[in-house]
Amino acid sequence: MAAAAQAQGRARVKTELRALTAARGIAAWLVVLFHIRQSLPALPGPIGAVLDKGYLAVDFFFLLSGFVIWISWSERLRGGGPAAIPEFLRRRIARIWPLHLVMLGFGLCLALALAATGRETPQFPLAELPLHLALLQNWGFTSELAWNDPAWSISCELAAYLLFPLLVLTIDWRRVPTPAILAALAALLMLLQVVFAAYGTIGLGERIPRLGLLRCILEFACGTAVGALWLHWRDRWRTPALLAFALAALLLGGWIAGPLPETLAVPAAFAGLLLALALSAGRPRNPLEVAPLHYLGEISYATYLSHFLLWFAFKLAFVDDPDAVRWPLIAAYLVLVLASSAALYHAIERPAQRWLNRLPFRRPRRAPTAGSR
């Protein structure tokens, strides 16, 4: 009976929450628009204000990553013994590293082409390339973003993956009462605010080489706590979802109006939004579960990791004045990002992930116990 229940639980965990996949795709495109916003023709004030804050989509990514990985892996790590941790890390590296390597190679080609034509390459410091290859660039070893700028968050995610087994073995959120989970979530969010305030920063996008790692780890941990709340409330989802949506709206309103700092209000609001989206996933008429949005979510990692260097190359090839790019060129770039995302996802990201996951993996033998036969 226990084994059957465990297998049933794992089957539930593996069920995809399609609304969250779609939300990831929307967040990735907000980052794309954030990076090209200064080259866009004049936009209405509210739209420009939203795009100026597009970097905050990364905070949603960190929370979502903690949520999904805790839901998918916490039971397997807790019940799988020592061999489960290397398997977890291998699968996470297979997920993030191959495409990162490809985009870094593309960046190296750009750097060599610029150098060959006598142009300076401050975006591509060769001395830092080994750190970027190993995804260690945002662990306090560099002072500026370089090469493929968005990969700073992937570097931080790697650190979160390395710490995740320790979190799982330290805290079993399933056995923690709901009030205690909420208290832990509030404490993590307050700690994030205290750290940023101590550095005199008012925005989450500031001082990324120094504060990005802690920003990721704390928000990733918050995402795991949100996952626990989802498990507690998913069977009576409607009221918690409405309350979470309302809380997120109040926090964002308080931030926009001025009283609440970005470094506290936005991560807390995103935690509420993530919980509400997860609780409402799979319900009838959910607008986030239409096929096009879901597909944007599936290819969102390729979108996120490719768009910055594609914009760099696109401007070199087609743009005379980077501060005023005409709409037809903007449209062409966005189509290029979408097409490249699909191609990278199907031709590189997924095949490389499957290949690495199929490689022979020697598991450590378990020592025989007194009851073994």
Side-chain angles (χ1 to χ4, degrees):
M1 290 290 291
Q6 186 178 21
Q8 193 175 32
R10 288 180 179 176
R12 285 197 302 269
V13 161
K14 291 180 181 178
T15 300
E16 180 190 7
L17 299 176
R18 290 174 61 90
L20 297 187
T21 303
R24 189 173 70 231
I26 294 170
W29 278 94
L30 282 175
V31 176
V32 174
L33 295 174
F34 167 74
H35 279 131
I36 69 170
R37 73 195 187 286
Q38 293 179 341
S39 297
L40 296 176
L43 293 169
I47 296 177
V50 170
L51 297 189
D52 283 342
K53 294 296 182 180
Y55 62 87
L56 295 173
V58 177
D59 298 276
F60 184 77
F61 285 142
F62 290 151
L63 284 153
L64 178 58
S65 181
F67 177 97
V68 170
I69 289 174
W70 188 80
I71 293 297
S72 303
W73 277 96
S74 59
E75 286 189 41
R76 282 187 272 180
L77 287 175
R78 198 172 289 112
I85 294 176
E87 176 66 11
F88 163 73
L89 294 175
R90 179 175 76 145
R91 288 185 173 273
R92 295 320 303 164
I93 290 170
R95 174 73 176 86
I96 64 173
W97 190 74
L99 189 56
H100 166 68
L101 181 62
V102 168
M103 293 315 303
L104 205 55
F106 180 59
L108 182 59
C109 291
L110 289 174
L112 293 174
L114 289 171
T117 55
R119 283 176 281 186
E120 295 183 356
T121 57
Q123 176 66 30
F124 306 111
L126 288 176
E128 294 180 8
L129 185 57
L131 290 172
H132 289 260
L133 281 169
L135 276 174
L136 302 178
Q137 70 270 28
N138 217 73
W139 290 22
F141 300 124
T142 59
S143 59
E144 300 288 342
L145 299 184
W147 290 90
N148 189 12
D149 282 15
W152 75 265
S153 65
I154 311 304
S155 170
C156 296
E157 285 263 356
L158 177 61
Y161 299 156
L162 293 172
L163 292 173
F164 178 69
L166 179 62
L167 174 66
V168 168
L169 297 176
T170 302
I171 302 174
D172 185 354
W173 285 124
R174 298 170 305 166
R175 302 182 185 278
V176 177
T178 299
I181 297 174
L182 291 171
L185 189 55
L188 289 167
L189 292 168
M190 284 301 303
L191 178 57
L192 182 66
Q193 158 63 15
V194 167
V195 170
F196 272 77
Y199 279 90
T201 57
I202 61 173
L204 287 162
E206 298 178 33
R207 306 188 72 170
I208 287 175
R210 180 170 294 273
L211 296 175
L213 182 62
L214 188 63
R215 174 184 170 193
C216 170
I217 290 171
L218 290 177
E219 290 177 342
F220 184 96
C222 287
T224 68
V226 173
L229 294 175
W230 174 74
L231 284 179
H232 284 204
W233 290 335
R234 60 181 171 168
D235 292 331
R236 44 189 176 89
W237 65 277
R238 192 178 302 274
T239 298
L242 291 173
L243 289 174
F245 268 126
L247 177 62
L250 285 173
L251 288 166
L252 290 176
W255 165 55
I256 294 169
L260 295 179
E262 176 179 299
T263 48
L264 175 62
V266 171
F270 283 171
L273 179 61
L274 173 60
L275 178 60
L277 291 175
L279 288 169
S280 58
R283 312 301 171 183
R285 297 183 297 278
N286 189 323
L288 288 178
E289 301 198 359
V290 297
L293 283 180
H294 180 262
Y295 184 69
L296 284 183
E298 285 191 316
I299 64 174
S300 60
Y301 181 59
T303 301
Y304 180 75
L305 213 54
S306 68
H307 78 273
F308 185 84
L309 288 177
L310 285 175
W311 181 235
F312 188 95
F314 189 87
K315 288 190 294 182
L316 286 175
F318 301 111
V319 175
D320 296 324
D321 182 4
D323 295 325
V325 182
R326 291 172 297 165
W327 280 116
L329 282 177
I330 293 293
Y333 165 72
L334 296 178
V335 170
L336 173 65
V337 171
L338 181 61
S340 299
S341 300
L344 289 168
Y345 174 77
H346 291 290
I348 297 199
E349 181 185 340
R350 292 296 292 158
Q353 185 180 359
R354 288 192 293 265
W355 180 75
L356 287 172
N357 286 336
R358 285 198 302 263
L359 288 178
F361 185 68
R362 185 175 180 179
R363 301 175 183 270
R365 293 184 179 180
R366 292 186 179 182
T369 61
S372 61
R373 294 181 180 180

